[in-house]
Every structure is written in structure tokens, then in C-alpha cells.
């Protein structure tokens, strides 16, 4: 085996634990032989990244182009003149988990990329907020990854099975797993789902994501804090980072989300509300808004009791929010183009006129 083949084998063996595969190896081929190495971004801290490479963790700078995110596969340059390593390029993102920025701006906030499975974590120590779950599922579907609902703290619920049925009624086409990190219930089932997968856990603070991460990792890899006296969770994880699991999976533990804003979620909304989407095909009017039109199949389902009013209200709310974000995005793009043209015209006026 040549030294280059040995290096490639070493790279593959180490990075496979983080999701490296034959397709990624093919993507990296154009960069081979140019002093560049592949790695997976485990954490982003302002202008620096922690990148998992075949030879260990490397802290690297980044700048210009697309901002790196936890889960990205990076093309890393490590100069031999003592300069800081830096991310030269990013390989193609297969999936992107994104929500609207918490500030209310039109830009999206990328939570994780190249994720295979998105676990919407819902605690059962309180009655599940089905509207919030629908938000989480919409983000998960839109990412391109496979959604999964993880009901935690099952040992603290007197009627866990009944709560699970309530959740299954809105989590259409999505598996629901009941777990308790305290008793170990359901952890073997969840372990089977996460084996060999890159998994992102999303949910509110106090939902049990950090406890679940430690249970799946078989070690305390992230700190855990008690839920506050008012029932709200404290933020335990304050950044996103990759955690390798014994089953060959990789877990992204994300910070608790107080707000779950919609961002470009057309297909995700249709998948989450598949029951409403199916009914719209029977409406008399193609552009039916399901508010007061005659022959509306959605309103008929409400009348008959086949569709809960809460479900339709939630759909309307998320749709309105998504459209508002889209309009803000269009306005921002138009404003940016106007600024660009203004600068171009300004430069043209400064340029000397050609002599006749």
C-alpha cells in the first residue's frame, strides 16, 4: 500500500465514526494532493471552528463565503509556515436545519447541517404543547432529514401512554418513542434509531436533551441542570457541538429554543399538516383559504368533528408566520439590490467621461 493510500485509509477509518462515507470521499477528490485535508466541524465559536480530523481536533479560522456550521464537512488547509489553519471550503450540505432568527429579522438561523435524523424532544412532566410540537416537526420536515418525536421523562407522567396517543395524533408519518433516562425505558429503542446516524435534538430548555445525550453517549459529555421552580428549563447547552455515540452515530446537542420561528417551510408545513393538505384537494376552489368559502372540505371536516379546530388554528398561525417571513425576505433582497445599483450608479458618475 502506497503512503497516499495509507493516508486515505487512515482518514476514512477515523472520520467514518463522524459520518464520512464513499460519496464524501468522492466529493473531496478535487482537493486531494493540494495540501488539504477533510474534517467535520464539531463546534463554531465566533471566528474559530473546532474541526474533527483524522489526526485529532484542529482549531481553524474561517472567513468569506458560506459561514460554517456544526455538522459541515470542511476542506481544511493547515499551512506549514506556522499560520493558523483555516477552512478553505465546505462540501455540499445534504440537509439543513434552519429557523427564523430569534431577533425577528428575515435571515434564517442555521441550527445544524448534514443531519440524518431530527429528534423533536418533548417532556412529559407537563402536558405536551401540541402547537409547539407542530412547529418542531415543520422545521424537521423542511430540513430534508427524517423527523422523530422523543417523549422524555416518561417516569414523571401518570398517563404516559395516553399522552403518547395525543402526540401520535398530530405527528403524522413520524415515529414516536417514549423514553426515560432515569429508568432506562425506551433507551434501547432510541439507540437503534440513532445507530450510524447524525442526529440533532431540538426542543425547549428543560426538555431533557442534555440528559438524553449523556444516556446515549454512556458518559457525562454535557452538563445537566435542574428545571427551575416555575417549570421552565435553564439553558444547559449554549452552543451546538457534535458528540460521537458508541453505536456509530453522531449527536448534535442544540441549545434550548424559547422561540421556534418558521423560515421557508412550505413543504415542511404540508408534511406536518398532511391531513389538512389532503383535504384541500377536495375544496371547491383551488385558492381556497379555508375561512368562509362555500364547498371548503377543510371547514366541512371541522363541522363533522373529523378535524380539530385547534389543528386548523395552528396551521393558520404557522402559515401566516411563514408568509410574513417570506415577505420580509423578499423586501430585504429588493433593498440589497437597490443598494447595489445605487453603488454602481455612484461609481459610474465618478468615472471620467470618455474623450470624444
Amino acid at each position: 500500500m502506497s503512503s497516499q493510500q495509507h493516508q486515505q485509509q487512515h482518514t476514512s477509518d477515523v472520520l467514518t465514526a463522524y459520518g464520512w462515507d464513499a460519496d464524501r470521499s468522492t466529493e473531496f477528490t478535487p482537493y486531494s494532493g493540494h495540501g488539504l485535508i477533510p474534517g467535520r466541524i464539531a463546534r463554531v465559536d465566533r471566528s474559530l471552528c473546532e474541526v474533527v480530523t483524522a489526526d485529532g481536533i484542529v482549531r481553524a479560522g474561517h472567513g468569506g463565503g458560506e459561514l460554517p456550521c456544526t455538522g459541515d464537512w470542511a476542506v481544511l488547509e493547515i499551512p506549514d509556515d506556522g499560520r493558523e489553519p483555516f477552512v478553505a471550503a465546505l462540501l455540499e450540505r445534504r440537509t439543513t436545519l434552519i429557523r427564523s432568527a430569534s431577533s425577528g429579522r428575515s435571515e434564517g438561523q442555521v441550527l445544524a447541517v448534514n443531519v440524518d435524523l431530527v429528534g423533536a424532544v418533548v417532556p412529559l412532566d407537563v402536558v405536551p404543547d401540541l402547537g409547539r410540537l407542530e412547529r418542531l416537526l415543520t422545521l424537521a420536515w423542511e430540513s430534508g432529514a427524517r423527523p422523530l418525536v422523543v417523549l422524555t421523562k416518561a417516569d414523571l407522567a401518570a398517563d404516559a401512554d395516553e399522552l403518547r396517543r395525543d402526540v401520535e395524533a398530530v405527528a403524522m408519518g413520524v415515529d414516536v418513542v417514549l423514553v426515560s433516562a432515569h429508568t432506562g425505558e425506551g433507551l434501547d429503542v432510541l439507540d437503534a434509531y440513532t445507530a450510524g446516524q447524525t442526529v440533532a435534538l431540538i426542543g425547549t430548555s428543560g426538555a431533557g436533551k442534555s440528559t438524553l445525550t449523556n444516556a446515549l453517549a454512556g458518559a457525562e459529555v454535557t452538563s445537566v441542570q435542574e428545571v427551575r421552580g416555575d417549570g421552565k428549563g435553564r439553558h444547559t447547552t449554549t452552543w451546538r457541538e457534535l458528540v460521537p455515540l458508541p453505536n456509530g452515530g453522531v449527536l448534535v446537542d442544540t441549545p434550548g429554543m424559547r422561540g421556534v420561528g418558521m423560515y421557508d417551510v412550505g413543504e415542511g408545513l404540508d408534511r406536518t399538516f398532511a391531513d389538512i393538505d389532503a383535504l384541500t384537494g377536495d375544496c371547491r376552489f383551488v385558492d381556497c383559504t379555508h375561512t368562509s368559502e362555500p364547498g371548503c372540505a377543510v371547514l366541512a371536516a371541522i363541522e363533522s368533528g373529523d378535524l380539530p379546530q385547534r389543528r386548523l388554528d395552528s396551521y393558520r398561525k404557522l402559515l401566516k408566520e411563514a408568509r410574513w417571513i417570506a415577505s420580509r425576505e423578499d423586501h430585504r433582497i429588493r433593498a440589497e439590490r437597490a443598494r447595489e445599483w445605487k453603488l454602481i450608479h455612484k461609481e459610474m458618475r465618478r468615472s471620467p467621461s470618455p474623450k470624444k
Side-chain angles (χ1 to χ4, degrees):
M1 181 183 294
S2 68
S3 59
Q4 183 177 358
Q5 289 175 323
H6 178 77
Q7 177 62 33
Q8 290 175 341
Q9 183 64 46
H10 174 59
T11 297
S12 177
D13 289 345
V14 174
L15 294 184
T16 293
Y18 284 85
W20 185 259
D21 56 27
D23 289 338
R24 289 300 186 194
S25 183
T26 300
E27 280 184 66
F28 187 77
T29 299
Y31 302 100
S32 298
H34 297 283
L36 303 169
I37 64 172
R40 193 164 196 190
I41 296 177
R43 179 181 170 189
V44 179
D45 185 10
R46 296 181 183 178
S47 62
L48 289 176
C49 302
E50 289 187 2
V51 187
V52 178
T53 74
D55 297 312
I57 300 289
V58 173
R59 287 183 65 82
H62 62 84
E66 193 168 23
L67 291 176
C69 179
T70 300
D72 264 321
W73 284 102
V75 177
L76 200 64
E77 181 168 345
I78 304 181
D80 54 11
D81 58 3
R83 288 183 293 121
E84 177 183 76
F86 66 93
V87 175
L90 299 175
L91 299 186
E92 181 182 358
R93 291 174 173 175
R94 295 176 181 173
T95 62
T96 303
L97 182 62
I98 184 172
R99 66 167 178 173
S100 66
S102 56
S103 63
R105 297 193 305 268
S106 59
E107 297 91 342
Q109 179 188 15
V110 181
L111 300 176
V113 298
N114 297 321
V115 171
D116 304 303
L117 187 71
V118 177
V121 181
V122 179
L124 294 186
D125 55 340
V126 294
V127 177
D129 183 337
L130 299 182
R132 178 176 287 273
L133 174 59
E134 286 160 346
R135 284 177 172 270
L136 294 175
L137 289 176
T138 299
L139 295 187
W141 279 120
E142 192 65 35
S143 73
R146 177 187 175 191
L148 177 72
V149 177
V150 184
L151 302 179
T152 60
K153 307 183 182 183
D155 55 301
L156 299 181
D159 52 353
D161 288 331
E162 183 177 344
L163 293 176
R164 175 177 180 167
R165 286 191 290 272
D166 291 341
V167 167
E168 287 175 334
V170 303
M172 297 182 174
V174 180
D175 291 344
V176 179
V177 180
L178 194 66
V179 302
S180 168
H182 179 68
T183 65
E185 177 187 358
L187 288 179
D188 57 337
V189 178
L190 189 57
D191 189 73
Y193 275 101
T194 61
Q197 303 287 294
T198 296
V199 184
L201 298 180
I202 59 175
T204 59
S205 297
K209 299 189 303 299
S210 296
T211 301
L212 200 58
T213 297
N214 291 337
L216 291 172
E220 188 168 343
V221 293
T222 184
S223 61
V224 177
Q225 295 185 19
E226 296 295 326
V227 174
R228 295 179 345 202
D230 58 5
K232 297 181 180 180
R234 294 187 174 93
H235 286 278
T236 302
T237 302
T238 56
W239 57 77
R240 295 174 289 279
E241 61 181 329
L242 294 182
V243 177
L245 303 178
N247 62 10
V250 181
L251 193 144
V252 184
D253 186 20
T254 65
M257 295 188 291
R258 289 192 179 94
V260 188
M262 299 293 97
Y263 183 83
D264 192 18
V265 291
E267 184 177 347
L269 202 60
D270 290 343
R271 297 291 295 269
T272 298
F273 294 92
D275 49 351
I276 295 177
D277 186 54
L279 287 168
T280 58
D282 295 327
C283 290
R284 181 183 300 178
F285 302 107
V286 176
D287 58 349
C288 185
T289 62
H290 321 307
T291 52
S292 59
E293 295 90 342
C296 174
V298 175
L299 294 181
I302 295 290
E303 281 280 329
S304 66
D306 292 334
L307 182 69
Q309 183 66 48
R310 185 212 65 80
R311 181 85 166 153
L312 180 57
D313 291 343
S314 180
Y315 171 77
R316 286 171 173 166
K317 183 177 182 179
L318 299 189
L319 181 61
K320 180 180 179 180
E321 186 177 324
R323 286 174 174 170
W324 181 83
I325 288 292
S327 68
R328 289 289 300 271
E329 177 71 7
D330 290 342
H331 176 76
R332 182 178 65 84
I333 292 173
R334 287 195 299 269
E336 287 178 353
R337 287 175 178 169
R339 283 194 294 270
E340 289 173 0
W341 277 110
K342 187 175 181 180
L343 289 173
I344 291 172
H345 291 160
K346 190 175 182 180
E347 288 299 319
M348 289 175 65
R349 287 196 299 269
R350 284 180 178 177
S351 301
S353 300
K355 294 182 179 179
K356 294 183 179 180

